[in-house]
Amino acid sequence: MYPQRPLDLVMLAAFCVLACSPLVLVLGRPATFLQDFRVTWADSHIRQINGGEAIQLILDQNSGCGFASKRQYLFGRVSMKIKLVPGDSAGTVTAFYMNSNTDNIRDELDFEFLGNRTGQPYTVQTNVYAHGKGDREQRVNLWFDPAADFHTYTILWNHHHVVFYVDDVPIRVFKNNEARRLPYPTYQPMGVYSTLWEADDWATRGGLEKIDWSKAPFYAYYKDFDIEGCTVPGPASCASNPRNWWEGASYQQLSAMEARRYRWVRMNHMIYDYCADRSRYPMVPPECEAGI
């Protein structure tokens, strides 16, 4: 639907591996599931398709399921193509996120897809934890049916900002404002995780809509697993190398086209923004004043 950037990311990443200071990268290529990931929860509920080129996640009354990357990463980009639970998916949550797995001081970047009653729009909730501080939820109603086909969901994380993309459309930007003494995830590597689970106490209309187990099992599908970043453990110089492609000038802020798309999403499809919630935050959180 939208034109791609002209930059050939794979060629640039490959060039940096050859010409720049040593980096450890997982180059941009659709990987099979077992190359980069492992099952973390209920392996009986994750089925590989076509030798791991795609996977099916299953939720029923016995269990949900989840998987995680085999490695952690410090800066880079991660994306997956996901086809969400179709039909009456109220009470289900399909999550795709990065997490430092460090408990009280964790860093985390979340996509959470909140199921709904048949015919109602799917809501995607994003959240950012930095140095243990979270509660930064934003919610957007998707402008298409994410259960009808695969769509690409991407997290770009560099020293300048974190950007959440849906099919190359930025839906959220979280800027690095450490210069203003605001927390930003800069020093903890994060793994990549995904889960399908039941959360009908909060997921759909604040918990008013409960899961209909007569519709179970519920299925979500994933393919084209793509991680590019500095692996940890790995060369300490990788994360600070300004020649990593994701640190390039064209990735330090949104392009003019991306900024227009971003404003379009916020004007037409955003249904909740913690920055505007005076009942929770009588004073505007300082990071909300940064813009894009």
Side-chain angles (χ1 to χ4, degrees), residues 28-51:
R29 76 288 182 270
T32 59
F33 176 70
L34 289 179
Q35 282 181 269
D36 286 344
F37 296 96
R38 58 186 174 83
V39 176
T40 56
W41 172 28
D43 56 2
S44 62
H45 284 57
I46 295 182
R47 185 169 69 90
Q48 296 189 56
I49 302 170
N50 294 333

Side-chain angles (χ1 to χ4, degrees), residues 218-281:
F218 302 98
Y219 301 111
Y221 296 86
Y222 291 66
K223 68 177 183 177
D224 292 1
F225 312 97
D226 188 1
I227 305 175
E228 302 177 70
C230 293
T231 57
V232 177
S237 61
C238 180
S240 61
N241 191 326
R243 289 185 285 187
N244 292 328
W245 69 258
W246 53 85
E247 301 288 355
S250 60
Y251 297 94
Q252 295 177 14
Q253 61 183 13
L254 298 186
S255 68
M257 171 99 43
E258 286 178 328
R260 287 194 295 272
R261 296 173 182 169
Y262 175 79
R263 288 190 290 268
W264 173 79
V265 168
R266 296 182 73 83
M267 289 177 60
N268 295 283
H269 298 283
M270 176 166 280
I271 60 171
Y272 177 80
D273 182 3
Y274 80 103
C275 291
D277 190 342
R278 295 286 77 81
S279 64
R280 291 178 66 192
Y281 300 100

Side-chain angles (χ1 to χ4, degrees), residues 40-97:
T40 56
W41 172 28
D43 56 2
S44 62
H45 284 57
I46 295 182
R47 185 169 69 90
Q48 296 189 56
I49 302 170
N50 294 333
E53 291 182 1
I55 59 169
Q56 178 192 62
L57 272 61
I58 303 167
L59 167 65
D60 58 27
Q61 285 183 282
N62 294 315
S63 183
C65 57
F67 64 89
S69 60
K70 295 178 178 178
R71 299 179 178 183
Q72 289 188 310
Y73 304 86
L74 189 56
F75 301 111
R77 184 188 69 178
V78 57
S79 69
M80 298 181 189
K81 290 184 178 179
I82 306 174
K83 184 162 66 171
L84 295 173
V85 175
D88 188 342
S89 57
T92 70
V93 175
T94 307
F96 161 41
Y97 60 102

Side-chain angles (χ1 to χ4, degrees), residues 148-256:
D149 204 350
F150 285 95
H151 292 267
T152 303
Y153 304 94
T154 302
I155 299 171
L156 173 72
W157 171 33
N158 61 30
H159 283 84
H160 303 275
H161 57 192
V162 174
V163 186
F164 295 81
Y165 289 92
V166 174
D167 287 337
D168 296 324
V169 178
I171 66 167
R172 181 168 189 175
V173 177
F174 185 81
K175 293 183 71 68
N176 184 345
N177 281 291
E178 285 188 311
R180 298 172 58 192
R181 299 190 176 183
L182 299 177
Y184 184 81
T186 54
Y187 67 91
Q188 295 191 109
M190 290 191 265
V192 181
Y193 298 83
S194 189
T195 54
L196 174 59
W197 53 296
E198 175 265 320
D200 69 1
D201 57 333
W202 66 271
T204 306
R205 295 183 59 215
L208 294 177
E209 302 283 356
K210 300 301 184 180
I211 197 166
D212 182 355
W213 288 114
S214 72
K215 303 293 195 302
F218 302 98
Y219 301 111
Y221 296 86
Y222 291 66
K223 68 177 183 177
D224 292 1
F225 312 97
D226 188 1
I227 305 175
E228 302 177 70
C230 293
T231 57
V232 177
S237 61
C238 180
S240 61
N241 191 326
R243 289 185 285 187
N244 292 328
W245 69 258
W246 53 85
E247 301 288 355
S250 60
Y251 297 94
Q252 295 177 14
Q253 61 183 13
L254 298 186
S255 68

